[in-house]
């Protein structure tokens, strides 16, 4: 499982465990699964898709960044 935190400058949108998260990277969309290599990436406009079992939650990104390290994913979006 991934420990995911999705926030904006003004509020916390989601904090909890997820099976995967798909992000709109500036060089293309990518999916983070447990065991993913550490990465820091900028994000562009698009959807952040968080999957927990069979439940899919979507958040809109107008840009931002993500850090992945030790199965912890921190996403800051506008």
């Amino acid at each position: 499982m991934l420990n995911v935190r999705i926030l904006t400058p003004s509020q916390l949108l989601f904090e909890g465990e997820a099976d995967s998260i798909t992000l709109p990277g500036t060089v293309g969309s990518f999916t983070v699964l447990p065991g993913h290599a550490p990465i820091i990436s900028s994000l562009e406009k698009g959807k952040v898709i968080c999957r927990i079992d069979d439940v899919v939650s979507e958040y809109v990104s107008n840009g931002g960044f993500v850090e992945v390290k030790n199965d912890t994913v921190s996403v800051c979006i506008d």
Side-chain angles (χ1 to χ4, degrees):
M1 287 294 244
L2 297 169
N3 294 310
V4 177
R5 187 173 200 188
I6 303 172
L7 55 110
T8 70
S10 62
Q11 67 180 340
L12 178 64
L13 298 177
F14 174 80
E15 185 169 26
E17 291 187 333
D19 296 318
S20 69
I21 185 166
T22 301
L23 302 148
T26 53
V27 294
S29 179
F30 63 97
T31 299
V32 176
L33 299 169
H36 196 285
I39 185 174
I40 295 175
S41 177
S42 55
L43 302 175
E44 64 180 18
K45 188 175 183 176
K47 291 182 182 178
V48 174
I49 302 169
C50 190
R51 289 180 174 81
I52 308 162
D53 295 323
D54 292 331
V55 178
V56 175
S57 299
E58 294 185 1
Y59 305 91
V60 176
S61 166
N62 288 315
F65 64 92
V66 61
E67 178 185 32
V68 178
K69 184 176 179 184
N70 298 327
D71 288 337
T72 297
V73 182
S74 301
V75 181
C76 183
I77 55 177
D78 287 332

